[in-house]
């Protein structure tokens, strides 16, 4: 145990200077699976630890939650018994050929259950939601570290992490998603196209091209800011998420059950050569690979502030576009908008990725040709 603590401490101290050097040092005495985990763990933990939040902000959030829990607002029972139609639709939408989770139950096993078995599983799902209970193994995830093509195997950033959850739990999540989607769609802004029916990145690209072309026709300049968030899913503040879910979903019991599925989660990281890390716990996050995670994250950032620039988003990827008569006005507007968003993300414990921030400007200009 002392050996692991020493190795982890050295990794934490070296991360700021050189991740590659740190990984090589740990590789000599520890498993690569543990070293890869430590890299991503401290990348998300440092993101939260470097942002100091006052007790007043936490108190304000808890005060708002208690006010919503005690307020007599409209109530809709979204934790009713799971129907045969819901069960059939959930299994129909399940894809075969996928890897199993920690319980080693394959999707094909669920798809080939008999009618009596499906009734038992539907009753089990209903009991879980009604009593606000969850099997312990459903809180666990297997994370597979896959080496990216043409990348150095000794650098932690060279690995792509794939999260495998229990298949029955994902079926339950799919049913919950179908119940909360009508209420979530009412609060999501129009500029958000991530993981929404009838919307895609193609729509966002076409709208962005239209903005640039309209500015060109008006002989104006257009500037863009393209960025995403650093470890977006891993830095979701649970108390703030709970507050926003209570404002969106008219069922306090279902909100409590959703938060139950997010708490006390643990996972094991495995490499492609069969090595395995110890079980780890993370507090503030929505699980990767979860059916509910994209919808929960969309709700989490649904109250994004209004800006002068046109916003186009797909999950945590955001584009700002502003058109003006001269570059000075465009630059001032973009700076104000970025400052507004940065303040909002800081309050919600999110952070813009400085490495992926891109601010191009359109080069379309009107050229006047003179006859000889």
């Amino acid at each position: 145990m002392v050996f692991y603590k020493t190795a982890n401490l050295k990794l934490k101290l070296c991360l700021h200077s050189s991740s590659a050097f740190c990984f090589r040092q740990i590789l000599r005495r520890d498993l690569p699976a543990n070293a890869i985990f430590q890299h991503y763990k401290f990348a998300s933990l440092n993101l939260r630890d470097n942002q100091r939040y006052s007790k007043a902000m936490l108190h304000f959030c808890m005060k708002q939650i208690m006010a919503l829990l005690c307020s007599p607002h409209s109530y809709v029972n979204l934790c009713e018994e799971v129907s045969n139609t819901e069960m059939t639709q959930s299994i129909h939408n399940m894809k075969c050929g996928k890897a199993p989770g920690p319980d080693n139950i394959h999707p094909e096993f669920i798809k080939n259950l008999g009618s009596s078995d499906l009734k038992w599983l539907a009753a089990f799902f209903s009991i879980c939601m009604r009593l606000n209970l969850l099997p312990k193994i459903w809180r666990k995830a297997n994370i597979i570290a896959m080496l990216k093509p043409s990348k150095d195997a000794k650098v932690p950033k060279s690995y792509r992490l794939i999260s495998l959850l229990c298949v029955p739990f994902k079926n339950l999540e799919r049913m919950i998603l179908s119940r909360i989607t009508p209420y979530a769609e009412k609060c999501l802004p129009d500029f958000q196209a991530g993981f929404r029916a009838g919307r895609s990145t193609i729509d966002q690209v076409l709208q962005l091209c239209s903005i640039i072309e309209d500015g060109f026709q008006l002989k104006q300049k257009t500037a863009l800011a393209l960025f995403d968030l650093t470890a977006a899913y891993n830095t979701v503040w649970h108390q703030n998420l709970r507050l926003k879910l209570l404002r969106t979903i008219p069922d306090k019991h279902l909100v409590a059950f959703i938060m139950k599925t997010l708490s006390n989660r643990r996972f094991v990281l495995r490499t492609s050569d069969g090595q395995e890390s110890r079980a780890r716990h993370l507090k503030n996050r929505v699980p990767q690979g979860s059916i509910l995670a994209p919808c929960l994250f969309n709700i989490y950032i649904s109250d994004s502030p209004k800006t002068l620039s046109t916003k186009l988003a797909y999950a945590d990827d955001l584009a700002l576009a502003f058109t003006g008569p001269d570059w000075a006005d465009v630059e001032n507007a973009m700076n104000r908008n970025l400052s507004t968003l940065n303040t909002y993300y800081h309050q919600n414990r999110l952070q813009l990725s400085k490495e992926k921030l891109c601010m191009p400007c359109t080069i379309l200009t009107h050229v006047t040709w003179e006859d000889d």
Side-chain angles (χ1 to χ4, degrees):
M1 185 63 65
V2 177
F3 165 79
Y4 281 103
K5 288 184 177 180
T6 306
N8 294 343
L9 178 61
K10 179 172 289 188
L11 177 61
K12 180 177 180 181
L13 297 176
C14 297
L15 236 168
H16 298 283
S17 58
S18 175
S19 298
F21 171 77
C22 169
F23 184 79
R24 286 194 296 269
Q25 295 296 319
I26 301 301
L27 189 63
R28 298 172 183 173
R29 294 169 296 175
D30 203 355
L31 292 176
N34 284 324
I36 297 173
F37 166 81
Q38 291 295 336
H39 168 77
Y40 287 97
K41 173 186 176 183
F42 288 113
S44 59
L45 287 181
N46 290 336
L47 200 64
R48 299 194 300 270
D49 295 340
N50 292 337
Q51 300 174 355
R52 300 303 179 184
Y53 299 94
S54 62
K55 292 183 178 180
M57 182 180 296
L58 298 175
H59 178 72
F60 174 79
C61 183
M62 294 302 300
K63 185 177 180 180
Q64 293 292 320
I65 292 176
M66 294 303 300
L68 288 174
L69 291 176
C70 298
S71 62
H73 65 285
S74 59
Y75 174 77
V76 179
N77 184 16
L78 298 179
C79 290
E80 57 188 6
E81 299 293 323
V82 176
S83 63
N84 293 332
T85 304
E86 286 181 305
M87 197 69 188
T88 303
Q89 187 64 30
S90 175
I91 295 178
H92 175 74
N93 294 333
M94 188 171 51
K95 298 180 180 179
C96 295
K98 300 295 183 178
D103 56 1
N104 291 323
I105 297 179
H106 292 257
E108 292 81 0
F109 179 82
I110 303 295
K111 275 186 171 292
N112 291 279
L113 288 177
S115 58
S116 59
D117 297 325
L118 291 178
K119 290 181 181 179
W120 180 92
L121 189 59
F124 182 73
F125 288 161
S126 301
I127 293 174
C128 289
M129 290 191 292
R130 185 172 63 252
L131 301 181
N132 199 13
L133 296 176
L134 204 67
K136 186 176 181 180
I137 196 171
W138 284 5
R139 300 175 186 271
K140 185 179 178 182
N142 291 336
I143 296 185
I144 309 300
M146 303 294 294
L147 182 64
K148 298 178 182 178
S150 304
K151 296 293 183 178
D152 187 2
K154 297 182 179 180
V155 179
K157 289 184 178 181
S158 301
Y159 291 84
R160 178 179 290 107
L161 303 185
I162 301 175
S163 179
L164 302 178
L165 305 180
C166 295
V167 173
F169 173 67
K170 296 177 71 173
N171 279 334
L172 176 59
E173 281 190 312
R174 194 173 289 109
M175 298 178 194
I176 296 176
L177 178 63
S178 65
R179 295 184 179 186
I180 68 174
T181 295
Y183 303 96
E185 286 293 331
K186 297 179 181 179
C187 77
L188 296 183
D190 292 335
F191 64 82
Q192 177 61 261
F195 303 98
R196 300 177 67 182
R199 298 172 182 245
S200 66
T201 54
I202 298 177
D203 301 327
Q204 304 295 67
V205 172
L206 289 177
Q207 186 175 352
L208 185 58
C209 293
S210 300
I211 294 173
I212 298 175
E213 184 177 355
D214 292 342
F216 172 72
Q217 296 296 336
L218 297 174
K219 299 183 180 181
Q220 293 184 340
K221 285 78 175 176
T222 303
L224 307 176
L226 309 174
F227 53 87
D228 68 350
L229 301 175
T230 301
Y233 281 19
N234 293 337
T235 53
V236 172
W237 181 18
H238 279 185
Q239 293 300 333
N240 203 6
L241 175 62
R242 184 185 181 190
L243 173 61
K244 296 181 181 183
L245 288 178
L246 287 172
R247 292 172 176 173
T248 305
I249 303 173
D251 188 350
K252 305 173 185 178
H253 186 79
L254 181 60
V255 172
F257 181 73
I258 292 175
M259 298 308 301
K260 186 83 171 182
T261 63
L262 301 179
S263 62
N264 297 325
R265 298 198 65 91
R266 59 194 179 96
F267 64 89
V268 174
L269 191 144
R270 292 187 174 93
T271 57
S272 57
D273 57 355
Q275 298 185 19
E276 181 178 316
S277 71
R278 294 166 293 164
R280 310 284 183 152
H281 294 262
L282 286 178
K283 296 181 179 180
N284 290 321
R285 68 191 300 264
V286 290
Q288 298 281 352
S290 169
I291 302 296
L292 278 175
C295 181
L296 297 181
F297 185 79
N298 283 345
I299 295 176
Y300 188 71
I301 61 175
S302 61
D303 57 345
S304 177
K306 296 182 178 180
T307 58
L308 296 175
S309 304
T310 301
K311 289 189 290 187
L312 302 172
Y314 193 91
D316 61 330
D317 296 323
L318 184 64
L320 292 180
F322 185 82
T323 301
D326 56 74
W327 289 119
D329 294 340
V330 172
E331 181 181 359
N332 292 333
M334 293 296 290
N335 287 332
R336 290 196 301 270
N337 295 333
L338 288 174
S339 178
T340 300
L341 289 176
N342 189 51
T343 302
Y344 166 78
Y345 289 139
H346 179 78
Q347 292 174 350
N348 289 271
R349 302 193 179 186
L350 300 172
Q351 183 172 320
L352 297 176
S353 175
K354 298 179 181 179
E355 299 177 355
K356 299 181 180 179
L357 178 61
C358 179
M359 296 189 64
C361 57
T362 58
I363 58 176
L364 296 177
T365 57
H366 285 77
V367 180
T368 302
W369 297 94
E370 297 181 357
D371 297 334
D372 294 338

